[in-house]
């Protein structure tokens, strides 16, 4: 009896701790895409330099050619927008570099490093201010919440590809 009570207690503490660690782990990762306009202009390295200079770590990275199906699923939330068809065409036009970035408050931090979606509104020194061509060809994508970061990472990466 005593033994089982202790096991239950241990399991409870352990699973709470695990949840805390898991939450912290999720909060410190974001998903990034270096988009076709950037890979085409051979500026992947310049963008990675800004990411690293600003304190985020690239813990996983792959260069892929996105399929139509992947792009449509990834951007499904925008499928009612007037720019959706163009967006899919653009995202599948050239290779992209997909990444997992890690660091404290990674989602928020990367959004600051990227700057506003429309480069005209982006702060000086941000990736989009420096490199984006226009609101669509805006060089990078970054997750907008911890929840979406997890979904987007899981959509493109297997667990064993995130090596730290
Ligand atoms: P991203 O952060 O990847 O999320 C959706 C993408 O759609 C966005 O970056 C741009 O590439 C594109 N996008 C957003 N707004 C517009 C717009 N008004 N016109 C064209 N493309 C857009």
């Amino acid at each position: 009896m005593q033994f089982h009570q202790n096991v239950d207690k241990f399991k409870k503490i352990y699973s709470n701790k695990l949840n805390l660690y898991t939450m912290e782990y999720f909060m410190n990762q974001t998903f990034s895409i270096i988009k076709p306009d950037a890979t085409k202009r051979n500026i992947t390295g310049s963008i990675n330099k800004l990411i690293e200079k600003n304190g985020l770590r690239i813990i996983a990275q792959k260069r892929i050619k996105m399929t139509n199906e992947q792009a449509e699923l990834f951007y499904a939330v925008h499928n009612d927008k007037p720019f959706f068809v163009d967006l899919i065409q653009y995202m599948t036009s050239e290779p992209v570099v997909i990444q997992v970035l890690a660091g404290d408050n990674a989602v928020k931090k990367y959004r600051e490093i990227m700057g506003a979606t429309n480069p005209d509104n982006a702060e000086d020194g941000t990736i989009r201010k420096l490199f984006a061509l226009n609101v669509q060809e805006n060089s990078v994508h970054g997750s907008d919440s911890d929840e979406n970061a997890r979904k987007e990472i899981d959509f493109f990466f297997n667990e064993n590809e995130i090596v730290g």
Side-chain angles (χ1 to χ4, degrees):
M1 187 65 180
Q2 184 66 35
F3 173 76
H4 286 292
Q5 277 172 348
N6 281 343
V7 169
D8 284 345
K9 202 170 152 191
F10 174 79
K11 272 190 187 161
K12 207 169 161 196
I13 294 167
Y14 183 68
S15 85
N16 282 344
K17 272 217 160 125
L18 207 65
N19 285 342
L20 269 181
Y21 293 143
T22 313
M23 266 169 55
E24 197 179 307
Y25 179 75
F26 285 170
M27 276 190 64
N28 292 327
Q29 290 186 3
T30 192
F31 176 72
S32 158
I33 306 176
I34 301 181
K35 293 184 175 182
D37 69 90
T39 60
K40 193 175 180 179
R41 286 178 290 151
N42 203 24
I43 55 172
T44 299
S46 308
I47 291 173
N48 278 348
K49 200 168 174 184
L50 277 176
I51 291 170
E52 293 180 344
K53 195 180 115 198
N54 282 285
L56 289 177
R57 177 174 286 272
I58 302 163
I59 61 167
Q61 178 167 260
K62 299 193 269 201
R63 186 174 173 106
I64 62 163
K65 187 95 189 301
M66 225 185 254
T67 63
N68 254 50
E69 194 190 2
Q70 283 175 318
E72 282 174 6
L73 280 172
F74 184 78
Y75 279 122
V77 59
H78 295 300
N79 66 11
D80 57 347
K81 306 267 167 57
F83 56 80
F84 183 69
V85 173
D86 273 357
L87 178 62
I88 301 308
Q89 208 274 325
Y90 157 64
M91 289 301 293
T92 55
S93 65
E94 296 280 338
V96 296
V97 175
I98 53 175
Q99 305 173 309
V100 181
L101 308 180
D104 288 344
N105 291 310
V107 167
K108 184 167 174 274
K109 187 157 206 180
Y110 191 43
R111 293 185 75 76
E112 285 166 11
I113 300 168
M114 287 191 301
T117 305
N118 187 337
D120 291 344
N121 306 325
E123 300 270 331
D124 284 347
T126 59
I127 294 172
R128 285 169 171 160
K129 186 69 175 190
L130 287 165
F131 301 116
L133 301 176
N134 53 56
V135 70
Q136 178 177 272
E137 296 169 295
N138 60 357
S139 300
V140 279
H141 164 86
S143 310
D144 62 4
S145 66
D146 290 326
E147 198 190 345
N148 283 339
R150 202 68 246 150
K151 284 187 196 155
E152 292 175 358
I153 290 168
D154 290 345
F155 185 70
F156 281 109
F157 286 94
N158 296 321
E159 216 172 297
N160 65 1
E161 292 175 313
I162 303 169
V163 290

